[in-house]
Amino acid sequence: VEIPCRVQGAQVSQIDVPPLPPSPYRLMTRLVRFESSAVKLTEQPEPYDIAAVLRLHPRVVDDNIAERLSIKLWKYVFERSAAH
């Protein structure tokens, strides 16, 4: 979470800012959901778990893309874990 702050010496104080307009707010909310879901994935997630997380990202526009990307990511993770 990013919070605008002012730092003076050892003191940190939050700076009040106006709320985001609706469109940027929706985008930020979606990105936060994506990031939160991504960090909750196990070390060796299954492709369907990866696809579920990818569907939350605003740049992933349909299930087909999420599924194709998830298989590529899964193979990458699997190959890296097999190499170690």
Side-chain angles (χ1 to χ4, degrees):
V1 175
E2 296 177 17
I3 300 172
C5 295
R6 176 179 291 117
V7 178
Q8 290 181 308
Q11 189 169 14
V12 178
S13 55
Q14 181 177 339
I15 299 172
D16 291 329
V17 295
L20 288 171
S23 183
Y25 178 80
R26 285 191 301 274
L27 175 62
M28 291 300 298
T29 301
R30 192 164 173 189
L31 286 170
V32 167
R33 271 198 328 261
F34 164 75
E35 291 171 350
S36 296
S37 297
V39 299
K40 290 176 185 173
L41 286 171
T42 63
E43 281 189 37
Q44 295 183 330
E46 294 296 322
Y48 57 84
D49 295 321
I50 298 169
V53 170
L54 288 172
R55 284 185 191 98
L56 298 173
H57 196 282
R59 299 282 301 200
V60 177
V61 295
D62 64 40
D63 289 345
N64 239 355
I65 292 172
E67 289 170 16
R68 287 196 328 261
L69 283 172
S70 70
I71 291 169
K72 288 181 180 184
L73 285 168
W74 181 81
K75 286 179 180 177
Y76 175 78
V77 169
F78 181 76
E79 289 168 1
R80 286 192 54 126
S81 65
H84 293 274

